[in-house]
Amino acid sequence: MAEAINTFQIIGQEQTRKYWNTLIVSGRFGHAHILSGHSGVGKDALAFYIAAALNCRAEENKPCGSCIACRQLQNLEYSALYLIFALPRRSASQTDPFAGIKESEMDLINEELSKKIAWPYYHLQIEGANDIRISGIRKLRKDIYLSIDPGTTRVVIILRAHKMNIEAANALLKILEEPPSGTVFLLTTEYLDRLPDTIRSRCAVHHMPDLNWELIKNDLTEKKGLNQVQSEICARMSMGDLAAAHTFAEQDNTFWLDRIRATLNTLAGSDFVSVHKQVLQLKDKELENDESRQQFLSLLILFFRDVALQVKDGETTLWVPQVQQMIKLFPNCNSHAAIQAIERTKDALERKVHLQLALTALFFELRKHLKGQTL
Ligand SMILES: [Zn+2]
């Protein structure tokens, strides 16, 4: 399957792909599947890959990536592919999901789709596209019971299927209960539990594991031309989300390292005033929005993980000297408790608690954990 690997630019997931190849070849292939997993692990890319494998004209090593079916699928223009995703509500039409969408808006939607074609990990960003409504599913039902060329497998891909509202889900359920022949449904979602039980029980659920950060790092070095430090910081900040990592890669992230270093220096010192100063500095200048706060705290968690693992040169490019200095200064550091404290603060900030208070409380708690003191 050497050729097949990069047809849809899938990163990692060798086991998943092997599993699907075996399943498709075996012919014991159900008609409805849910691909679940965290954001950015490659669920949509896998769905396109499966659609191509089912329709590829090559004798073996499907999807070949070069036959007419593979190429059309890569361009999302295969006639037996039905791609469903959330659209803005511009009319009350119950049968046409595109009703009322202006030409200029349609151009923007097509632009988003071409980004998805260029890179299947891309998250469509369509303004006002909050849910998948019944019009989209009714339109599908109108089309998919028509006859189809022999040797073709009709593939319905529903992106972020948890965005289906209840009416749409019920309409889909009816189709799943009486599926048209030669049709495969692939629903992708990062929130499996938001799909109704009735849908879940009609589908085979396949979980895609998280991506190892080293895979993401290599991808960033290769595709974005980042240096080792930059690609590692983006990869680790992304928490296994390749799409997020690529977004981080658009900006310079080395300043995060400086923030972490400055914070650690403050924590290591015994001076209370400098803790308050550091909190104010972070609050006023560096952590302006929710996203940056979460990133900063995520990185702080990564740092304490590396302290717990006692990472050495070669295992990370980010902060080996700082990790070793911490271990030397604080041999009794309770990294586990420190990580828990940071996670609690992340949670609290999502619930919009007062930033300055939350950080001050966290930093004083971290000082205790560094010394291995119980609270
Ligand atoms: Zn092919």
Side-chain angles (χ1 to χ4, degrees):
M1 57 183 242
E3 273 309 302
I5 285 175
N6 282 320
T7 306
F8 289 97
Q9 306 176 56
I10 299 182
I11 303 298
Q13 305 292 4
E14 278 88 3
Q15 292 289 34
T16 308
R17 275 185 283 130
K18 246 186 226 164
Y19 163 80
W20 280 96
N21 288 339
T22 314
L23 200 64
I24 291 169
V25 170
S26 79
R28 289 193 306 273
F29 196 78
H31 73 280
H33 304 268
I34 295 172
L35 309 177
S36 85
H38 286 140
S39 179
V41 297
K43 300 178 295 295
D44 298 348
L46 182 71
F48 299 145
Y49 175 93
I50 295 168
L54 287 167
N55 283 283
C56 177
R57 309 282 161 92
E59 292 297 321
E60 51 184 5
N61 288 340
K62 301 178 183 192
C64 70
S66 51
C67 73
I68 178 97
C70 281
R71 276 184 289 129
Q72 287 179 343
L73 269 160
Q74 281 174 66
N75 291 320
L76 304 182
E77 56 187 24
Y78 190 62
S79 60
L81 171 73
Y82 299 81
L83 187 64
I84 295 180
F85 49 91
L87 285 166
R89 180 194 292 269
R90 295 291 179 258
S91 115
S93 169
Q94 295 278 301
T95 49
D96 179 5
F98 290 97
I101 292 181
K102 285 195 207 111
E103 209 173 307
S104 57
E105 207 168 12
M106 204 56 224
D107 289 345
L108 291 175
I109 294 172
N110 282 327
E111 242 171 67
E112 286 299 298
L113 281 173
S114 39
K115 290 182 193 165
K116 189 84 180 163
I117 290 168
W119 191 52
Y121 288 79
Y122 180 75
H123 290 302
L124 294 176
Q125 287 165 32
I126 301 171
E127 214 184 305
N130 300 323
D131 51 5
I132 298 172
R133 296 184 312 279
I134 192 160
S135 51
I137 308 295
R138 287 227 172 112
K139 169 106 182 34
L140 174 72
R141 193 168 65 185
K142 210 173 123 230
D143 298 339
I144 60 165
Y145 288 98
L146 303 171
S147 65
I148 191 170
D149 292 341
T152 302
T153 303
R154 211 171 349 222
V155 182
V156 178
I157 297 178
I158 305 184
L159 302 176
R160 312 199 76 209
H162 57 270
K163 289 200 160 214
M164 276 188 291
N165 65 21
I166 194 72
E167 275 183 305
N170 285 335
L172 178 68
L173 187 63
K174 286 206 185 100
I175 302 178
L176 293 180
E177 282 166 349
E178 284 174 57
S181 63
T183 305
V184 169
F185 293 83
L186 301 169
L187 281 61
T188 68
T189 183
E190 58 265 46
Y191 300 106
L192 182 61
D193 55 358
R194 290 192 200 164
L195 281 171
D197 284 344
T198 45
I199 296 277
R200 271 186 287 167
S201 63
R202 288 263 159 202
C203 300
V205 178
H206 310 268
H207 182 73
M208 287 179 79
D210 284 355
L211 289 178
N212 178 312
W213 69 262
E214 273 148 326
L215 279 174
I216 297 181
K217 184 188 128 187
N218 294 341
D219 188 61
L220 292 175
T221 315
E222 192 185 308
K223 295 216 184 89
K224 296 279 182 180
L226 300 190
N227 67 29
Q228 293 296 314
V229 173
Q230 277 280 18
S231 49
E232 181 175 339
I233 199 164
C234 295
R236 295 187 74 178
M237 265 199 312
S238 77
M239 302 282 171
D241 182 339
L242 186 66
H246 275 242
T247 307
F248 293 145
E250 309 283 317
Q251 67 222 14
D252 179 6
N253 292 297
T254 39
F255 68 93
W256 287 114
L257 284 186
D258 299 335
R259 301 295 87 80
I260 298 282
R261 281 175 196 143
T263 301
L264 293 169
N265 283 339
T266 313
L267 293 177
S270 54
D271 168 14
F272 285 81
V273 178
S274 61
V275 172
H276 287 294
K277 266 197 195 148
Q278 177 65 11
V279 168
L280 286 179
Q281 169 81 8
L282 286 167
K283 174 180 94 76
D284 293 337
K285 303 234 165 73
E286 288 147 3
L287 306 181
E288 308 150 316
N289 53 42
D290 289 343
E291 205 180 18
S292 58
R293 288 164 198 170
Q294 293 294 331
Q295 283 173 10
F296 170 76
L297 292 174
S298 297
L299 278 177
L300 208 52
I301 289 176
L302 290 176
F303 178 83
F304 279 100
R305 263 191 217 160
D306 284 352
V307 170
L309 295 170
Q310 310 206 346
V311 291
K312 293 177 189 64
D313 274 331
E315 294 173 62
T316 169
T317 41
L318 298 188
W319 38 44
V320 173
Q322 282 78 26
V323 167
Q324 289 178 350
Q325 191 192 9
M326 271 295 174
I327 295 170
K328 209 166 140 195
L329 279 173
F330 302 102
N332 298 322
C333 171
N334 185 347
S335 302
H336 182 65
I339 290 166
Q340 283 185 325
I342 305 165
E343 275 170 353
R344 276 198 304 276
T345 307
K346 273 176 71 107
D347 265 4
L349 287 179
E350 273 184 1
R351 285 180 277 109
K352 313 275 174 223
V353 297
H354 193 277
L355 177 65
Q356 188 180 341
L357 290 181
L359 284 181
T360 308
L362 173 66
F363 288 175
F364 280 106
E365 187 176 344
L366 288 179
R367 286 164 71 111
K368 295 209 164 99
H369 294 316
L370 281 172
K371 292 171 194 151
Q373 295 169 349
T374 45
L375 294 177

